[in-house]
Amino acid sequence: MRKASIVVFTLLFLFSLPAATYSRGWVYLGEAHVDGAADHDRIKVGKSDGRFNALQLKVDFAPIEFHHIVVHYHNGADEEVQVRQRIRAGAATRDIDLRGHDRIIDSVEIWYERANFGSKRPRVRLYGR
């Protein structure tokens, strides 16, 4: 009886976790859509989402050609990272390690473009770890 209770409690706990997290400790931070040939968007993260030492960009619906990102930290510092990677729909960038340790991110600016002009508008989702 006790074993069954533990199993039920564990399952309830796992199913109660937000859908915004996924394996390996990644936390969903926000998303944007590529509207034109070349685009630039800012995803507001905010202090309440915590401290992160790595980012990852996941692509949906259509491929995206990433150029670079700029991470804006809560302390006023900025970090530019060259991504220079074409990511197909359903895939993600490499883990983007950030300088320093567990810094609070205010926002992330992304420079990118559609890799092709199909009927679907690409979406990028930002994750932090």
Side-chain angles (χ1 to χ4, degrees):
M1 184 71 165
R2 183 165 188 229
K3 232 180 195 182
S5 296
I6 291 172
V7 169
V8 169
F9 176 78
T10 302
L11 289 173
L12 286 173
F13 173 76
L14 290 174
F15 286 117
S16 69
L17 291 175
T21 62
Y22 76 98
S23 65
R24 299 186 313 141
W26 291 102
V27 176
Y28 173 80
L29 300 176
E31 64 185 56
H33 289 88
V34 183
D35 294 319
D39 202 358
H40 163 244
D41 286 305
R42 179 184 290 241
I43 298 174
K44 182 81 174 132
V45 175
K47 184 176 170 181
S48 64
D49 284 313
R51 299 169 182 263
F52 303 98
N53 56 25
L55 297 175
Q56 189 176 72
L57 302 165
K58 295 191 82 165
V59 173
D60 297 314
F61 310 127
I64 298 175
E65 183 78 38
F66 289 95
H67 299 288
H68 68 280
I69 65 171
V70 176
V71 181
H72 301 282
Y73 295 104
H74 184 67
N75 66 2
D78 298 324
E79 180 178 352
E80 183 172 349
V81 179
Q82 297 298 321
V83 178
R84 304 248 181 252
Q85 195 173 4
R86 182 180 196 266
I87 305 296
R88 63 179 168 71
T93 62
R94 61 180 163 71
D95 295 359
I96 301 168
D97 293 324
L98 303 174
R99 291 186 311 225
H101 295 286
D102 295 332
R103 297 169 70 184
I104 298 172
I105 299 172
D106 274 340
S107 65
V108 177
E109 286 184 275
I110 307 168
W111 279 263
Y112 48 20
E113 62 186 82
R114 286 180 162 193
N116 66 28
F117 282 91
S119 61
K120 294 189 178 184
R121 183 172 73 154
R123 175 180 69 180
V124 60
R125 290 177 290 147
L126 175 66
Y127 290 87
R129 180 179 68 197

